């Protein structure tokens, strides 16, 4: 995960704290996968992919909300955050 993504996550935590939530979870997922396709005992295709995601759960009083989005940038976090407001 890039340092800019970690900085963005710190900003999200600060926003959650400012809303005076009773409890909050911030889930961050990052993964890389590689695959090799063999046909007729020969390597045919080599591919790689990366996936990132972010989820936010906020509890305030008896209310609980959760939102998630692809990516771990501030803009993707803002999309999840906007869903919670």
């Amino acid at each position: 995960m890039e340092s800019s993504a970690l900085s963005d996550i710190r900003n999200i935590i600060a926003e959650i704290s400012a809303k005076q939530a009773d409890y909050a979870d911030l889930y961050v997922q990052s993964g890389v996968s590689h695959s090799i396709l063999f046909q007729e005992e020969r390597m045919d295709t080599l591919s790689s992919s990366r996936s990132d995601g972010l989820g936010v759960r906020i509890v305030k009083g008896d209310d609980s909300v959760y939102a998630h989005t692809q990516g771990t940038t501030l803009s993707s976090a803002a999309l999840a955050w906007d869903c919670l407001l």
Side-chain angles (χ1 to χ4, degrees):
M1 184 177 303
E2 297 177 22
S3 62
S4 62
L6 292 174
S7 177
D8 292 346
I9 290 166
R10 284 187 201 101
N11 292 336
I12 295 164
I13 292 170
E15 281 193 48
I16 291 170
S17 296
K19 297 290 182 187
Q20 299 176 346
D22 295 330
Y23 182 82
D25 289 319
L26 183 64
Y27 303 94
V28 180
Q29 172 269 323
S30 181
V32 177
S33 67
H34 307 283
S35 65
I36 302 171
L37 175 64
F38 286 90
Q39 286 189 349
E40 298 177 10
E41 299 180 12
R42 282 187 34 222
M43 185 174 67
D44 184 56
T45 307
L46 176 64
S47 64
S48 297
S49 66
R50 180 179 180 97
S51 63
D52 296 320
L54 179 114
V56 180
R57 179 175 64 125
I58 298 174
V59 177
K60 188 170 185 178
D62 291 334
D63 298 325
S64 176
V65 292
Y66 178 81
H68 64 90
T69 184
Q70 293 180 341
T72 56
T73 64
L74 189 55
S75 61
S76 62
L79 288 172
W81 183 252
D82 287 345
C83 290
L84 300 176
L85 298 177

